[in-house]
Coordinates of all heavy atoms in Angstrom, one line a residue:
A258 N 53.8 76.6 51.1 CA 53.7 78.0 51.5 C 52.9 78.9 50.5 O 53.0 78.7 49.3 CB 55.0 78.6 51.7
T259 N 52.0 79.7 51.1 CA 51.3 80.7 50.3 C 51.8 82.1 50.7 O 51.7 82.4 51.9 CB 49.8 80.6 50.6 OG1 49.3 79.3 50.2 CG2 49.0 81.7 49.8
F260 N 52.2 82.9 49.8 CA 52.7 84.2 50.1 C 51.7 85.2 49.7 O 51.1 85.2 48.5 CB 54.0 84.5 49.3 CG 55.2 83.7 49.8 CD1 55.4 82.4 49.4 CD2 56.1 84.3 50.7 CE1 56.5 81.7 49.9 CE2 57.2 83.6 51.2 CZ 57.4 82.2 50.8
I261 N 51.4 86.2 50.6 CA 50.3 87.2 50.3 C 50.9 88.6 50.6 O 51.6 88.7 51.7 CB 49.1 87.0 51.2 CG1 48.5 85.6 51.0 CG2 48.1 88.1 51.0 CD1 47.4 85.2 52.0
E262 N 50.8 89.5 49.7 CA 51.2 90.9 50.0 C 50.2 91.8 49.5 O 49.5 91.6 48.5 CB 52.6 91.1 49.4 CG 52.7 91.1 47.9 CD 54.0 91.5 47.4 OE1 55.0 90.6 47.6 OE2 54.2 92.6 46.9
F263 N 50.0 93.0 50.1 CA 49.1 94.0 49.7 C 49.4 95.3 50.4 O 50.2 95.4 51.3 CB 47.6 93.6 50.0 CG 47.3 93.3 51.4 CD1 46.9 94.3 52.3 CD2 47.5 92.0 51.9 CE1 46.6 94.0 53.6 CE2 47.2 91.7 53.3 CZ 46.8 92.7 54.1
H264 N 48.8 96.4 49.9 CA 48.9 97.7 50.4 C 47.7 98.0 51.3 O 46.5 97.8 50.8 CB 49.1 98.8 49.4 CG 50.4 98.6 48.6 ND1 50.8 99.6 47.7 CD2 51.3 97.7 48.6 CE1 52.0 99.2 47.2 NE2 52.3 98.0 47.7
L265 N 47.9 98.5 52.5 CA 46.8 98.9 53.4 C 46.8 100.4 53.6 O 47.7 101.0 54.1 CB 47.0 98.2 54.7 CG 45.8 98.3 55.7 CD1 44.6 97.5 55.3 CD2 46.3 97.9 57.1
V266 N 45.7 101.0 53.2 CA 45.6 102.5 53.3 C 44.9 102.9 54.6 O 43.8 102.3 54.9 CB 44.8 103.1 52.1 CG1 44.7 104.6 52.2 CG2 45.5 102.7 50.8
V267 N 45.5 103.8 55.4 CA 44.9 104.2 56.6 C 44.9 105.7 56.7 O 45.5 106.4 55.8 CB 45.8 103.7 57.8 CG1 45.7 102.2 57.9 CG2 47.2 104.2 57.8
D268 N 44.3 106.3 57.6 CA 44.2 107.8 57.8 C 45.7 108.3 58.0 O 46.4 107.7 58.8 CB 43.4 108.1 59.0 CG 43.1 109.6 59.0 OD1 44.0 110.4 59.3 OD2 41.9 110.0 58.9
A269 N 46.0 109.4 57.4 CA 47.4 109.9 57.5 C 47.8 110.3 58.9 O 48.9 110.3 59.2 CB 47.5 111.1 56.5
D270 N 46.8 110.6 59.7 CA 47.0 111.0 61.1 C 47.1 109.8 62.0 O 47.4 109.9 63.2 CB 45.9 111.9 61.6 CG 46.0 113.2 60.8 OD1 47.1 113.7 60.4 OD2 44.9 113.8 60.6
M271 N 46.9 108.6 61.6 CA 46.9 107.4 62.4 C 48.4 107.1 62.8 O 49.3 107.2 62.0 CB 46.3 106.2 61.7 CG 46.3 104.9 62.6 SD 45.6 103.5 61.7 CE 43.8 103.9 61.8
S272 N 48.5 106.7 64.1 CA 49.9 106.4 64.6 C 50.4 105.1 64.0 O 49.6 104.3 63.6 CB 49.9 106.4 66.1 OG 49.2 105.2 66.6
V273 N 51.7 105.0 64.0 CA 52.3 103.7 63.6 C 51.8 102.5 64.4 O 51.5 101.5 63.9 CB 53.9 103.8 63.7 CG1 54.5 102.5 63.4 CG2 54.4 104.9 62.7
G274 N 51.7 102.8 65.7 CA 51.2 101.7 66.6 C 49.8 101.3 66.3 O 49.6 100.1 66.3
A275 N 49.0 102.2 66.0 CA 47.6 101.8 65.7 C 47.5 101.1 64.4 O 46.7 100.1 64.2 CB 46.7 103.1 65.6
S276 N 48.2 101.5 63.4 CA 48.2 100.8 62.1 C 48.8 99.4 62.2 O 48.4 98.5 61.5 CB 49.0 101.6 61.0 OG 50.3 101.8 61.4
H277 N 49.8 99.3 63.1 CA 50.4 98.0 63.3 C 49.5 97.0 64.0 O 49.5 95.8 63.7 CB 51.7 98.2 64.2 CG 52.5 97.0 64.3 ND1 52.4 96.1 65.4 CD2 53.5 96.5 63.5 CE1 53.3 95.1 65.2 NE2 53.9 95.3 64.0
V278 N 48.6 97.5 64.8 CA 47.6 96.7 65.4 C 46.6 96.1 64.4 O 46.3 94.9 64.4 CB 46.7 97.5 66.5 CG1 45.5 96.7 66.9 CG2 47.6 97.8 67.7
I279 N 46.3 96.9 63.4 CA 45.4 96.4 62.3 C 46.1 95.4 61.5 O 45.6 94.3 61.1 CB 45.0 97.6 61.4 CG1 44.2 98.7 62.1 CG2 44.2 97.1 60.2 CD1 43.9 99.9 61.3
C280 N 47.4 95.6 61.2 CA 48.2 94.7 60.4 C 48.3 93.3 61.1 O 48.2 92.2 60.5 CB 49.6 95.2 60.1 SG 49.6 96.6 59.0
D281 N 48.6 93.4 62.5 CA 48.7 92.1 63.2 C 47.4 91.4 63.2 O 47.3 90.1 63.1 CB 49.1 92.5 64.7 CG 50.5 92.7 64.8 OD1 51.3 92.4 63.9 OD2 51.0 93.2 65.9
R282 N 46.2 92.1 63.3 CA 44.9 91.4 63.3 C 44.7 90.7 62.0 O 44.2 89.6 62.0 CB 43.8 92.5 63.6 CG 42.5 91.9 63.8 CD 41.5 92.9 64.4 NE 41.2 94.0 63.5 CZ 41.5 95.3 63.7 NH1 42.0 95.6 64.9 NH2 41.2 96.2 62.9
I283 N 45.0 91.4 60.9 CA 44.8 90.8 59.6 C 45.7 89.5 59.4 O 45.3 88.5 59.0 CB 45.1 91.8 58.5 CG1 44.1 92.9 58.5 CG2 45.0 91.1 57.1 CD1 44.4 94.1 57.6
E284 N 47.0 89.7 59.8 CA 47.9 88.6 59.7 C 47.6 87.4 60.5 O 47.6 86.3 60.0 CB 49.3 89.1 60.1 CG 50.4 88.1 59.8 CD 51.8 88.7 60.0 OE1 51.9 89.9 60.3 OE2 52.8 87.9 60.0
D285 N 47.1 87.6 61.7 CA 46.7 86.5 62.6 C 45.5 85.8 62.0 O 45.4 84.6 62.1 CB 46.4 87.0 64.0 CG 47.6 87.5 64.8 OD1 48.7 87.1 64.4 OD2 47.4 88.2 65.8
A286 N 44.6 86.5 61.4 CA 43.4 85.9 60.8 C 43.7 85.1 59.6 O 43.2 84.0 59.4 CB 42.4 87.0 60.4
L287 N 44.7 85.6 58.8 CA 45.1 84.8 57.6 C 45.8 83.6 58.0 O 45.7 82.5 57.4 CB 46.0 85.7 56.7 CG 45.3 86.8 55.9 CD1 46.3 87.8 55.3 CD2 44.4 86.2 54.9

Side-chain angles (χ1 to χ4, degrees):
T259 300
F260 290 82
I261 301 171
E262 64 175 75
F263 57 90
H264 294 189
L265 184 74
V266 179
V267 299
D268 192 293
D270 295 327
M271 181 179 285
S272 67
V273 173
S276 62
H277 190 263
V278 169
I279 300 173
C280 292
D281 281 348
R282 187 167 64 241
I283 297 172
E284 187 172 352
D285 290 342
L287 287 169

